[in-house]
Amino acid sequence: MNRVISVSVNNKAGVLNRITALFMRKGFNIQNLTVGVTETPGLSRITIVMNETDDAALEQVIKQLYKQIDVLKVTDLTQQPMVARELALIQVNSPVAQRSVITTIIEPFRASVIDVGRDTITVEATGKAEKIDALIALLRPYGIKELARTGLTALARDVAMVTEARRVSEGNVISI
Amino acid sequence: MRVMSENPDYTSTQTTEPRMLSGADMLVEVLRKEQVEVVFGYPGGAVLPLYDALYECGIRHVLARHEQGAIHAAEGYARVTGKPGVVIATSGPGATNLVTGLADAMLDSLPIVAITGQVAKSVIGSDAFQETSIIGISTPITKHNYQIQHASELPGVFKEAFHIANTGRKGPVLVDIPKDVAGEVAPFVYNAPPQLPGYQPTVIPHVMQIKKVLQHIELSHRPVILAGAGVLHAGASRELRLFAERFGIPVVHTLLGLGGFPADHPLFLGMGGMHGSAAANTALYETDLLLNFGARFDDRLTGNLADFAPTATVVHVDIDPAEIGKNVPTDIPVVGDAREAISLLLATEAKSPEISGWREKLLDIKAHTPFWYVQEGNVIKPQRLIEQIAQHTNGEAIVVTDVGQHQMWAAQFYPFVHANRWVTSGGLGTMGFGLPAAIGAQIAEPNRQVVAVVGDAGFQMTLEELAVVAELELPVKIVIVNNGALGMVRQWQELFYEERYSSSLMKWQPDYLKLAEAYGIPSLQIRDDGALPECLSAFLAAPGPGLLECLVAPMENVYPMIAPGHGLHQMVGVKP
């Protein structure tokens, strides 16, 4: 099962390294990871997607993340309502004769053409990972020349409803 | 409004302009403000400005002969005093030589502030002379680390570094200072408490959890206390004794916890784990309520997890929430300081459980299966050597060990009745730890007898520190338990590798007496058991340093033992 963990961290040199080093140490593979600034100056949000089914192992990862001085908040979004999006840029072979076909294909995905070359066009698509997978599958027969995906970034829906992993819960221990 | 505080650090409302100081002078000021008495270290190119500032500043600097020696000495100092040990090393090889000690301090939760020099900012990342990325190297083995980019950051960084090293679960913090930063001049302001929203250790436990613990104590039939080094770090020895006595619950110690509960107390069952006592391990196996105060359920303690306290309700008190549930599933987690937790347990009304049968059973096992050895002829048995050391020091010495068989025998046969007099490398099992750690312990406690019990193999890893012992005339008594081997490795090869002693026998050894003589340290060698009491008595009573080489029975093994993969109920060698 894919887990989505959102980590608020200080925006400082070396912090990302500390976070990924933890995953390395525990032997967990990160499926994808995105980082960007947040609404609070000096804070960044790291969204990590990992494939891990063991609850105890995940709990250990979250607790170890919390031990990092530069980590302010860790949220396991997996079991929560969340909005998750990914951006993909797809450069696809597109001789002039086929261009309108491709435009028709991408239209239902609400993707758009952001660059046009002599033989290719570049498509920008945003959405859930499955939607992007589907679009890529449809475009593949035309010949994808280059592809870049950002990986997932996510937020919990309606922040007030979120029960996040907290330092101290009623049970006096981190719960997830 | 002016806020008055008792802490002088925070009172000074800055009426005058802050003093302008160089980074190097700031370091000296920081050490003064943190009341650092002694710094262990080794100079080099990148820390020359820092060493220049330290020259005649009044803070004592102990010149180790290797950076590993410096940091182990700082660990010994920290272990005995409870205060952060401070170590300075230069960039590159100086910094990398600290790595073993950082890892050791990390696993044993010792407060260390390590200061490393770094090449100048302008050449960082260029593979400059004596450059390494010590931040990258030390990240997994420090609680936190910093590289200072400008002298103006230095006071704040050090304020945080000392705070982080010495609060919550203690640990090593490294501060890397580029050489040019040491020369930069900036205002020195050292009065703001650190602002660390991501670091807020829970010290006071949740009161509901404490109530739950008490309810379980009242209903328990076979409770046992497992006390770890967390008790010592929290200064909770007194509380632990009061708690055990109040409820009549027997106490088991981890290796690192020894001394937290007096070994001569009737409720003490001994050390648990791989080479623990039968009484302790029986208690851990059969208990229905395991009260863990500040131990992290290390695998050398638990043995096979499937057979660890299989029928127990597990209470785990730990200041580090990540330890709770890490190895052993916990029924009642209590996040907080051991002293606060035990004080709360003592402050609440609760009935003592009726457990006299359980207690008697365990004390009976304790009485009938003490640690043992068989005396054979006139050869010195290492166990008897430890017993004799205990006798001749009245159990009052600070005992520092290296790692291996002698370490286990010291843990088994030296009765630790006081807190903070047992210095050993538990989590990392660092050979070479003993001698330098003893130096740090002796510097911390100049008037107390320090006995360094080391094996011949581990001693050879850091014996260059004999120079420090000699130079400072530290009255450290070094006892080499010489069995001509890497004893514990040899024992495992005997038991689990069909006696194939692959590279574990020391076929050649230096002449330790001549070595001591070369360092100007009085020494003697002993091989006859009959001469042991008189010899030890004279050796320990002599002023100044000394080295005693004991040629002990070479094939002696540490028992009892729980073989790897086995449970606490599967001890072998409980009786001769």
Side-chain angles (χ1 to χ4, degrees), chain B residues 284-406:
Chain B
L284 291 176
Y285 183 69
E286 294 185 6
T287 177
D288 68 344
L289 179 64
L290 178 60
L291 301 160
N292 175 351
F293 297 136
R296 62 186 179 88
F297 289 129
D298 177 79
D299 55 273
R300 282 290 190 274
L301 174 89
T302 61
N304 186 350
L305 281 170
D307 289 323
F308 180 76
T311 54
T313 299
V314 175
V315 174
H316 190 167
V317 178
D318 206 302
I319 196 145
D320 179 359
E323 284 305 330
I324 295 175
K326 188 181 80 176
N327 298 334
V328 172
T330 300
D331 301 291
I332 309 175
V334 182
V335 179
D337 176 87
R339 190 168 66 180
E340 298 291 346
I342 302 173
S343 298
L344 282 174
L345 287 169
L346 281 168
T348 321
E349 290 293 314
K351 287 200 298 282
S352 295
E354 181 37 61
I355 54 165
S356 52
W358 164 246
R359 205 163 42 229
E360 275 160 30
K361 171 186 168 167
L362 294 173
L363 294 177
D364 189 57
I365 297 173
K366 180 185 169 187
H368 288 96
T369 54
F371 292 119
W372 60 270
Y373 60 92
V374 179
Q375 190 60 45
E376 294 154 337
N378 206 18
V379 66
I380 298 176
K381 286 290 177 128
Q383 300 93 330
R384 179 164 140 85
L385 171 63
I386 304 289
E387 271 182 352
Q388 287 285 314
I389 293 172
Q391 208 175 331
H392 288 283
T393 55
N394 294 321
E396 295 283 321
I398 294 173
V399 177
V400 186
T401 72
D402 215 272
V403 166
Q405 287 183 317
H406 69 276

Side-chain angles (χ1 to χ4, degrees), chain A residues 18 60 63 67 69 167 171-172, chain B residues 145 198 206 320 322 324 335:
Chain A
R18 290 175 199 279
Q60 200 33 231
K63 285 177 168 179
K67 278 178 76 168
I69 310 287
R167 256 167 209 287
N172 191 226
Chain B
N145 58 17
H206 199 284
D320 179 359
I324 295 175
V335 179

